[in-house]
Amino acid sequence: MLNEERVILMTRMAAYEQREGKENNAINSYFRSDYVGFQVLKSIISATVVYLILVAAYVMYHFSDVLQDVYNTDVAATARKYLIYYIVLVAVYSVISYIIYSIRYGKMRKNMRAYYSCLKKLGRMYEKE
């Protein structure tokens, strides 16, 4: 005979596995610091690529102005200015990434605890029979 409560619990668990379970299992294979650090590293690389694309687009759009400024301005001061822009961009992007991925990891741990709790409850249901 089917136990209605057990079927509902198993259905809820199967739905979780189909929706977020695969991604959460992948995240759960990391320690928090490893997961967040890896994601922040990927974000720094992405920010670097975006910055290089933006600088290249600016140089291409204002090419004649850039060529005139190369001879008229202090190259070291200009390079320092662009380096500061890069550092600010990477710092802001890294902090935002750290916050987002820390929250994401925390939600995953909460969901995994609930899932394991349901597994234990299901196991107790089978033991009662």
Side-chain angles (χ1 to χ4, degrees), residues 6 18 46 49:
R6 192 175 357 164
Q18 290 296 318
S46 298
V49 170

Side-chain angles (χ1 to χ4, degrees), residues 43-88:
S43 297
I44 289 171
I45 293 169
S46 298
T48 302
V49 170
V50 166
Y51 183 76
L52 292 174
I53 290 172
L54 289 175
V55 168
Y58 176 80
V59 167
M60 289 174 63
Y61 188 73
H62 299 288
F63 191 70
S64 62
D65 297 336
V66 170
L67 281 179
Q68 286 177 346
D69 289 344
V70 166
Y71 296 111
N72 298 335
T73 62
D74 183 19
V75 176
T78 305
R80 199 174 310 120
K81 179 178 76 170
Y82 285 113
L83 182 64
I84 290 172
Y85 290 156
Y86 170 73
I87 291 171
V88 168

Side-chain angles (χ1 to χ4, degrees), residues 63-121:
F63 191 70
S64 62
D65 297 336
V66 170
L67 281 179
Q68 286 177 346
D69 289 344
V70 166
Y71 296 111
N72 298 335
T73 62
D74 183 19
V75 176
T78 305
R80 199 174 310 120
K81 179 178 76 170
Y82 285 113
L83 182 64
I84 290 172
Y85 290 156
Y86 170 73
I87 291 171
V88 168
L89 174 74
V90 168
V92 169
Y93 206 71
S94 296
V95 168
I96 291 171
S97 296
Y98 179 83
I99 292 169
I100 288 172
Y101 289 111
S102 292
I103 291 170
R104 193 173 288 176
Y105 191 85
K107 286 181 182 178
M108 179 278 307
R109 293 296 296 171
K110 180 182 170 190
N111 290 341
M112 291 301 286
R113 271 191 228 107
Y115 179 75
Y116 289 137
S117 173
C118 288
L119 276 177
K120 288 178 185 178
K121 185 176 179 181

Side-chain angles (χ1 to χ4, degrees), residues 27 30-43 94-95 97-106:
I27 295 172
Y30 293 101
F31 289 111
R32 181 183 180 277
S33 60
D34 293 339
Y35 174 73
V36 173
F38 181 63
Q39 298 302 327
V40 168
L41 180 64
K42 286 186 349 185
S43 297
S94 296
V95 168
S97 296
Y98 179 83
I99 292 169
I100 288 172
Y101 289 111
S102 292
I103 291 170
R104 193 173 288 176
Y105 191 85

